[in-house]
């Protein structure tokens, strides 16, 4: 049963937004209620982690564009 937890952590972390209990139940082959319980516990643990570690001080953020080349104007003023 421990391997299902690790798979759930992997799928929760690798999904772009969030994963539903129904989708997780199909991926790790458990009952929907079990998947919902696992997700609930993982999300609670993640929420506690966020309350412990807060960003402070000077924070620098860089923007980037990932994708193929396009013709036309480059940079922030580009269309699309």
């Amino acid at each position: 049963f421990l391997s299902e937890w690790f798979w759930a952590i992997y799928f929760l972390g690798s999904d772009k937004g969030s994963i539903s209990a129904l989708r997780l139940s199909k991926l790790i082959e458990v009952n929907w209620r079990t998947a919902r319980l696992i997700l609930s516990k993982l999300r609670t643990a993640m929420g506690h982690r966020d309350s412990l570690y807060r960003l402070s001080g000077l924070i620098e953020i860089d923007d980037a564009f990932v994708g193929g080349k396009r013709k036309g104007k480059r940079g922030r003023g580009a269309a699309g």
Side-chain angles (χ1 to χ4, degrees), residues 9-16:
I9 293 168
Y10 169 75
F11 288 127
L12 180 62
S14 64
D15 201 71
K16 194 171 191 177

Side-chain angles (χ1 to χ4, degrees), residues 1 5 21 24-25 28 30-39:
F1 188 71
W5 275 88
L24 182 65
S25 70
I28 63 175
V30 296
N31 188 333
W32 172 79
R33 293 179 193 268
T34 304
R36 187 181 65 171
L37 178 67
I38 290 172
L39 281 177

Side-chain angles (χ1 to χ4, degrees), residues 58-76:
L58 181 64
I59 301 168
E60 295 184 29
I61 300 175
D62 190 15
D63 62 327
F65 175 75
V66 180
K69 292 184 178 182
R70 292 185 182 179
K71 295 184 185 231
K73 187 175 178 185
R74 295 175 55 194
R76 291 180 184 232

